[in-house]
């Protein structure tokens, strides 16, 4: 199950999260959003409690969609300590998304469960 967040809960669930959060901006009418859902659930099960997965209905949360300058749906943002570390949009296909998710797993799954903001730059992970 993926936690659904809104403008009201975004700060607490995403910006202030002690672990990195993969935010899936989607909409009910978006066919590609439905297609990638199983891939995201698989990613979540593989990452366990190392990366949090949440969804945001872009239609119902226009302020967030504007803040993060969404150009297309789905758009995935990896947010760590309130900072966008990766932005995934305009997928060219299933393999493209799987490769991007694999890079996130490699970067985050074997790291310590707690970390300090000052150490974030030393992780060697690709940033946005």
């Amino acid at each position: 199950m993926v936690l659904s967040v809104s403008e009201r809960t975004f700060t607490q669930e995403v910006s202030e999260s002690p672990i990195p959060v993969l935010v899936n901006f989607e909409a009910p009418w978006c066919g590609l959003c439905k297609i990638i859902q199983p891939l995201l659930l698989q990613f979540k099960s593989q990452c366990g409690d190392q990366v949090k997965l949440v969804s945001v209905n872009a239609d119902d949360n226009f302020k967030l969609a504007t803040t993060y300058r969404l150009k297309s749906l789905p758009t995935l943002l990896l947010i760590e300590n309130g900072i966008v570390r990766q932005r995934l949009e305009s997928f060219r296909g299933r393999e493209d998304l799987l490769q991007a998710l694999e890079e996130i797993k490699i970067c985050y799954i074997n790291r310590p469960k707690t970390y300090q903001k000052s150490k974030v730059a030393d992780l060697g992970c690709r940033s946005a």
Side-chain angles (χ1 to χ4, degrees):
M1 174 121 179
V2 176
L3 177 64
S4 181
V5 297
S6 65
E7 291 165 358
R8 189 174 55 81
T9 59
F10 190 86
T11 298
Q12 178 183 355
E13 294 294 339
V14 178
S15 301
E16 296 174 353
S17 175
I19 61 173
V21 182
L22 184 62
V23 181
N24 177 24
F25 283 93
E26 59 185 0
W29 51 263
C30 173
L32 186 55
C33 298
K34 293 174 183 154
I35 291 171
I36 70 164
Q37 190 66 22
L39 299 175
L40 294 175
L41 292 174
Q42 178 183 0
F43 168 79
K44 174 60 183 148
S45 69
Q46 292 170 348
C47 290
D49 61 357
Q50 299 294 311
V51 177
K52 185 178 188 179
L53 176 63
V54 301
S55 68
V56 175
N57 182 323
D59 288 344
D60 293 343
N61 296 280
F62 185 73
K63 193 174 187 179
L64 286 174
T66 302
T67 299
Y68 289 101
R69 298 182 177 149
L70 300 185
K71 298 174 188 168
S72 63
L73 293 178
T75 293
L76 303 173
L77 301 179
L78 181 68
I79 298 177
E80 180 181 32
N81 293 323
I83 299 167
V84 176
R85 297 290 178 192
Q86 277 191 306
R87 182 181 191 98
L88 308 171
E89 57 189 352
S90 304
F91 309 123
R92 291 183 298 265
R94 175 184 165 95
E95 291 304 315
D96 188 35
L97 175 59
L98 287 173
Q99 181 179 353
L101 292 175
E102 188 63 29
E103 289 174 15
I104 292 170
K105 278 192 303 195
I106 289 167
C107 188
Y108 289 97
I109 202 163
N110 293 322
R111 69 194 301 187
K113 290 186 181 185
T114 58
Y115 52 89
Q116 299 171 347
K117 289 183 182 184
S118 61
K119 294 183 180 179
V120 171
D122 297 332
L123 296 173
C125 298
R126 188 176 72 191
S127 61

